[in-house]
Amino acid sequence: MKISHLVVQEIVHRRLNFLLAVFGVSVAIACLVGAATMLNAGEIQTEQAIRESKQAAEKAVRKSKQAAEKAGKQLQDEMRKITKGLGFNIVVLAEDEDLGAFHAEGTPTKTMPQEYVTRLAKSPIVVINHLLPIVTRKIEWPEAKQTIVLTGTRGEVPQAHRDLKKPLLDLVPPGKIVLGHHLHTSQNLKPGDTLTLKQRKFEVLKCHPERGSVDDVTAWLNLEEAQEMLGMQNLVNAILALECNCATVDRVAEIRGEIAKVLPGTKVLERGRKALARAEARNKAKKSADRAVAEAEASGTRLMADAEASGARLMADRQELTSVMVPVAMIGSFAWIALLALGNSRQRRSEIGILRAIGLGSRQVLVLFLGKALLVGLTGGAIGYAIGFLAGSRWGAAVDADLYQARWLVTALLLAPLLSAAASWIPALLASRQDPAVVLQEQ
Amino acid sequence: MLISLDHVTKTYRGNDQPVVAVNDVSVEVAAGEFVAVVGPSGCGKTTLLLVAGGLLGPDSGEVQIDLQDPYALSADQRARFRAERIGFVFQQFHLVPYLSVLDNVLAPALVTGERDAADRALALIDRFGLSDRRNHRPGQLSTGERQRVALARALLNDPRVILADEPTGNLDGENSEDVLQALQTFANDGGAVLLVTHDPDAVAFAGRTVTLDNGQVAMQTGQEKVASD
């Protein structure tokens, strides 16, 4: 027979004492494991909530950003179109152009070879975005008995060293005509109608709204057709250089200088301060779009921060609860087991007395009690772990994550026997030091 | 001598006056001898038995069991010495309530750990007519059966000495005789029995009687019965 047999037999004999001790250990371990599982579940839940908030915020930011960018682009495009009228940023005129007449008439009168446009386009000037060669002249529209400005344009001339930009003035195809506001309203014309100009028939391509400028009495034709009508084949009388990077006055001077290098003798005029206004308008549109995006991002960041703070608060509350509950449960369990062990050692006084008398050493008696305590701890630890894990999983959070952590099972199965053995230590020591002579004399 | 108490004195010092339980007592029991210690209650009989059993150290005097002074040993050595050399039998039996008859008989083997202990235990159980009771708990046995279990337990490690304290105190005549007969047999087999009793029938079994009075030997009577060896 071995001591372990004695331990098991005694447990079977005094089941209630054993079960009560197991209950005490189970409660303590269940509190510990339950709290740990709950905290673990809380962490996972918080991380999940933050992740979801982040995803929602990112989605919202993305959506807002896309909307803002779209709105910004629309705004910029609108702004670009609206400010197109301001577009004669730089005008290159023929060398012999009389500037006085030009200013007085509003249209150039001298010509220069069309090849100048090509030369300018092939030059390495990078400060000009759009090059538009035109022929323009004030003429009589005999069929309508009106004085009009006839402008021939072929649209933008691609610059050799740059990507093709979106053209500011649409190319007017041959046989088509674009009319200013006064012209189409006075003649009651609309797109698709046909008109006769100097005995040539044109289909109305487009009718411009009122601009309150010379554009209202301008008719735009295909460059070649206009040149032919005006007897100015291979000639142009102005090259418009639009959307120059000319945020400052000095910068315009630079542009003028650069053009002069390519086309010496030509006259370069800045058409007022319109470029600056246009750039500012576009910048404001861009800023407005950027601000909308930034606000969307800030809103997302706030959402995430709120979710994190909420999670942190929840975790702090739970940690506070467990930091009180677990030690109380441990101390309570310790006292409970100690009392039960003390009661058990008193109950077994006679038994221990005779076992000592027949030769059991104090160490064997100690093993007898501590062995029982270890079994109480192991059983209570296993039961407590199961209860704590289930309770923690159920109450912790509604998460699908696997909350099982081997370290808590190991902790429970190590801590519980330690707790039980520590609580039983003093009663076991008292029992092992029991004087058998005293017990036998009492009988 | 298997039991030798030489001028042993034991005094209890409690809160009241010190009580001299055993006062300068000398008793010797040789192998094969069955000695009864009698006397009125409180005369020191049980104290003498505990001193002889290595359970209660004397204040003075010398104790020898099987030529060994148990009090010269450490506590653990003394415990093992008791398990190997001395068998105890008590009036209250002192069986472990949750162990079966077999396990109770085997209890001394917890100390010695001998492999053939189970066989010897079964033989003893059979010898004392308890074979059909070997799996019963003490609570399921009659008083006579319990005392026989206690006797079997005392004999498991084949001791040299048996110390019995009122072993027939709770038994009827037939059971008393069985127990006394067993003790007699043990003595006849070369052991030494020191029996503390009030029972005249038990005294009749003893070869020699030591009468204690007030902690002192008042009288010794009877023939010494010494084993041939």
Side-chain angles (χ1 to χ4, degrees), chain A residues 111-164:
Chain A
T111 60
M112 54 190 160
Q114 191 175 335
E115 177 267 335
Y116 275 24
V117 184
T118 313
R119 205 188 299 173
L120 202 55
K122 287 181 179 172
S123 72
I125 296 175
V126 294
V127 294
I128 297 170
N129 277 325
H130 307 281
L131 282 173
L132 290 171
I134 59 168
V135 288
T136 186
R137 185 151 299 172
K138 201 180 280 181
I139 62 164
E140 284 299 316
W141 183 6
E143 288 85 355
K145 293 187 178 64
Q146 274 189 315
T147 303
I148 65 169
V149 174
L150 182 67
T151 299
T153 177
R154 72 169 200 192
E156 189 172 356
V157 177
Q159 288 171 272
H161 59 284
R162 317 190 68 163
D163 295 334
L164 190 62

Side-chain angles (χ1 to χ4, degrees), chain A residues 407-428:
Chain A
R407 69 189 168 112
W408 283 111
L409 178 59
V410 173
T411 302
L413 294 180
L414 287 177
L415 182 67
L418 279 177
L419 174 77
S420 179
S424 305
W425 180 255
I426 301 287

Side-chain angles (χ1 to χ4, degrees), chain A residues 1-3 5-7 9-10 12-14 348 350-351 354-364 368 435-441 443, chain B residues 12 46-47 50 55-56 75-76 79-80 82-83 88 90 92-100 103-104 106-111 137 153 157:
Chain A
M1 191 169 64
K2 291 181 177 173
I3 291 286
H5 180 69
L6 227 63
V7 172
Q9 291 298 314
E10 198 273 333
V12 172
H13 182 68
R14 296 191 179 97
R348 298 171 69 180
S350 168
E351 167 199 332
I354 189 62
L355 287 174
R356 291 297 311 277
I358 64 174
L360 243 69
S362 58
R363 261 180 294 186
Q364 283 171 299
L368 201 61
D435 187 346
V438 174
V439 177
L440 294 173
Q441 279 175 320
Q443 304 294 322
Chain B
Y12 293 111
T46 298
T47 299
L50 294 174
L55 292 166
L56 191 63
D76 283 344
R80 190 170 182 89
R82 281 198 301 270
F88 288 95
F90 301 97
Q92 302 297 335
F93 325 125
H94 288 302
L95 299 176
V96 179
Y98 51 82
L99 294 180
S100 67
D103 287 341
N104 264 293
L106 275 171
L110 284 169
V111 183
R137 300 283 183 274
R153 180 180 66 189
N157 283 342

Side-chain angles (χ1 to χ4, degrees), chain B residues 92-227:
Chain B
Q92 302 297 335
F93 325 125
H94 288 302
L95 299 176
V96 179
Y98 51 82
L99 294 180
S100 67
V101 166
L102 177 60
D103 287 341
N104 264 293
V105 175
L106 275 171
L110 284 169
V111 183
T112 56
E114 290 170 26
R115 286 184 180 177
D116 62 343
D119 294 337
R120 282 190 280 117
L122 288 170
L124 284 166
I125 287 169
D126 188 46
R127 177 181 154 192
F128 286 108
L130 295 165
S131 292
D132 57 341
R133 296 288 207 169
R134 69 179 186 189
N135 292 321
H136 286 69
R137 300 283 183 274
Q140 297 169 304
L141 304 176
S142 68
T143 51
E145 287 170 328
R146 287 182 208 177
Q147 194 59 294
R148 277 183 273 156
V149 173
L151 258 174
R153 180 180 66 189
L155 294 171
L156 181 79
N157 283 342
D158 199 14
R160 300 285 287 138
V161 169
I162 283 187
L163 303 174
D165 189 0
E166 303 273 11
T168 58
N170 286 329
L171 303 181
D172 58 24
E174 189 181 345
N175 280 310
S176 293
E177 192 169 334
D178 286 347
V179 168
L180 292 168
Q181 192 64 55
L183 293 175
Q184 181 68 69
T185 303
F186 174 75
N188 289 343
D189 289 345
V193 176
L194 185 61
L195 170 74
V196 168
T197 187
H198 283 111
D199 183 3
D201 291 337
V203 173
F205 265 85
R208 183 156 56 95
T209 302
V210 177
T211 305
L212 286 185
D213 188 20
N214 207 19
Q216 291 183 308
V217 176
M219 186 169 55
Q220 292 204 40
T221 59
Q223 294 285 321
E224 285 191 11
K225 192 176 182 182
V226 182

Side-chain angles (χ1 to χ4, degrees), chain A residues 280-296:
Chain A
E280 280 175 2
R282 290 183 67 171
N283 283 344
K284 276 186 181 174
K286 189 174 187 309
K287 272 183 188 169
S288 174
D290 289 348
R291 197 162 48 244
V293 171
E295 275 173 11

